Structures are given as structure tokens and as C-alpha cells.
Amino acid sequence: MSVNDWVERLGGPDGLRRYRRSALASVGFFPVCEVGLWALWAATTDAGASTRASVAVLGVAHAVIQALLSRAALSHYLAAGPRPVRLVVLYAALTAAISALGCALLSSGRIDDRELASCLLWLLMFYSGPTVLALPPRVGAVLVAAVTVGTLAGAVAAGLSGSPLAVVISGTVLLVPFLGAAFRATGWGVRLVEELAAARETQARLAVAEERLRFGRDLHDVLGRNLAVVALTSELAAQLARRGRPEAVEHMEEVQRIARESQREIRSVVRGYRTADLHTELAGARSVLEAAGIDCRIAYGPAARLPADVQAAIGWVVREATTNVLRHAQGASRCTVSLRTAGPSAALLVMENDGAADAPPGTGTGTGLTGLRERLTALGGTLTTAREPGGIFRLTAHIPWEEAE
């Protein structure tokens, strides 16, 4: 299975929302890991009960602040919220307090070098990610570096040395930049996907606007010139007719000829306009359905990779199905359109709405759908409709195509 197939399978009508939720879940996974590591530390240390309890409480508090800061930082990075400055300050102060407590416990002999080393390594690793995401890159890097250097200096002053100190330094050098970059990359990925989705929507709207402008321009070119000639010729014929001149008949015949020519030209223009463009039809479907108060969600990942005749056929299906929703599904509140590949050389379009309960009997068997079935049959495709429990009406179009050699 290709990468595109995985994207289409995991995407669905609300692919952007799913991607955002997965990003939030990924950054929310680290606080859970931190709580687990603090619990493991408290369970394996030889320190007294009061020491374990104090470190565990501060560690859980550190994980909670991390979770809040991660969510707020991602929201700010996506321009959906203010910069969480207070949480950054609180997070840095709590990190410094826990490291100071660990150094004090080492100096007093209540924990050993190994226990402090593991404590500081987790602390600095988890601290770097949300801070780098919440602040501008340079400011975040400076703050993380300052806290890291200060923590390591305090540990050395408290007596941390030998292999535990080497482990902390080497682990910090590797894990702190890695986690900071991982958080930053997560935010960048979500923002990039949102920008791509917005660009796709803009492209679809521009396609609709461009097609309307083209149609209006063609009509103006055809009708503007011919109507001007008709007006002048008919006015001249009227004047000649009042004078009883026989030339009036010739001018009226010319008007008739121009009218017939205009009719043919208009038919040619409309025929070109009625060629269904898939992206235009999808954008138009969303526009008219949302204008009617119907929430419309569209996922059409493989559209650009389909052959032109398959795109045109699917465009006709989208147009007719949208018309049926507006005419027959009076109580519909949502409509989903999902276009994906079915196997290596077939397209599958599924349109669902929740207005079947209010649709009159016989809906889905009109001449419009019959015409679509004939159009798809010419391409070797099929069109099926079904009513599902809960008032769901589903239309499915399956169109195969031959791979180009």
C-alpha cells in the first residue's frame, strides 16, 4: 500500500481535525511518560518516605504544567491563542526548584549520584520540548540552554561526578535538542497541513470564480455583438417597412439569420460550460450546501491523479447528488463527500446525508440518477444508492480506469 493510500485511509472527511488531534495526542504523551518515570524513580530509590513523596509531588506537578504548556504552546504556534508566557515562567521555575531539591538531597546524602543523575536527565529532557515550542526559536534555545547549564553546574557543585555526571551531560546533549526539535516539528507539521488545506480550498474557490468569469465573458462576446447587430438591423427594417420599401424583408431575414447563429453559439458556450470539472463541482457543492444550512465535509485526496474522463464523470455525480440533497433531503443537517482510490485503478465516490428520513418515497430513482448510471456504464462504472438506519442516504459511484502504459 502506497503512502497516498495510507493518507487517504486515515484522512476521511475530517482529516484535518484528525491530524490536529493526533498532534495534540503526541505532545500529550510526554507528560504521561514523565509521570511514569517519576513513579519508577520513587519506587526504586532508597530515600526516605518524605523524600520520595516530595519528589513525586513536584514531579507530577511538573508533568501537569508540561501538559498545559504543550497544549497552549501548540495553540499559539498555530495562531489560535496567545503566547503562554506565564506558563513558561512557571515551568522554568518549577524545573529549577526540582533540580535544586535534587542537588540539596545529594549534598545531604539522602540520595546517591545515580538517583540524581536519572532525575536531572528526565527533568531537562521533558523541559526542553514545550519551552522551545512556546517561545521564538532563539529565545527558547537561550532559555533552555541557560536552565540546562545552571542545573548541571548546580549538580557539579553538589558533588555529582564520575560516570553519573558523564551520563547526564551526554544524555542532555542528545535528548534536550532532540525533544525541542521534535516539538517544533510537530507544530510545523500541523501548521503546514492547515496551510495546504486552506490553499486547496482557495484553489477550488478560484476555479469556480474563473469558470464563472469565463462563462460571463463568452456570453458577452457572443450576445453583445450579435444583439447590437440585431438592434440596428431591425431598426432599419422597421423604418423601411414604414416607407413600404421591399428591402425591409431582406433585413428581417438577416435578423433571423443572426438570431439562429446566436442560438448555435450560445449552445456551444453552454456545452463547454457544462463540462463537469471535478474540483469546481466539489467547491460548488460545498458552497451551495453550506448556504442551505447543511454542514458539508469533503475529502478528495486522489482527485488530481484521476484521468480526465473519470474526473468529469465524478463531477457529474457530485452535481446531481448535490441537487438531489437540496431537492429531497429537506431535513438534512450534514453531508459528507469522500473520494478515494479502490484498488490500483479504480475511483470510489461516496456521498452521504442524514435527510433520508424526510425524503419522499421513491427518492433516488429519478431520471437524473438514471442518466448518471448510463454515463458511468459507458466507462465501466456503477452507481448505487441505499438507505441506512438513522435516516442516512448513501450514494456510491465506482469507476475503474485503465493505467496509462
Side-chain angles (χ1 to χ4, degrees), residues 18 21 108 114 135 147 152 155 174 202 209 244 253-254 307 319 321 323 334 350 361 369 374 391 394:
R18 288 187 179 185
R21 287 197 299 267
S108 62
R114 179 185 57 82
L135 298 175
V147 172
L152 294 178
L174 292 175
T202 301
E253 289 176 350
E254 178 67 13
R319 180 185 297 183
T323 301
R334 63 177 178 85
V350 179
L369 294 182
E374 295 175 354
R394 179 182 295 112

Side-chain angles (χ1 to χ4, degrees), residues 160-215:
L160 185 65
S161 61
S163 59
L165 178 60
V167 169
V168 174
I169 294 176
S170 59
T172 299
V173 170
L174 292 175
L175 295 178
V176 168
F178 172 78
L179 208 60
F183 269 71
R184 198 83 184 179
T186 298
W188 177 80
V190 177
R191 186 166 66 182
L192 180 61
V193 170
E194 291 188 349
E195 290 176 353
L196 289 175
R200 176 177 286 181
E201 293 295 328
T202 301
Q203 182 182 19
R205 288 195 297 268
L206 289 176
V208 174
E210 183 179 358
E211 183 66 13
R212 289 173 178 172
L213 288 175
R214 183 195 68 80
F215 184 64

Side-chain angles (χ1 to χ4, degrees), residues 8 31 48 75 117 133 142 179 235 263-264 273 299 321 324 335 356 361 366 383 396 401:
E8 292 160 17
S75 177
L133 184 61
V142 170
L179 208 60
E235 181 180 357
Q263 188 178 29
R264 287 194 299 270
Y273 177 73
N324 286 344
C335 178
L383 181 73
T396 304
W401 75 85

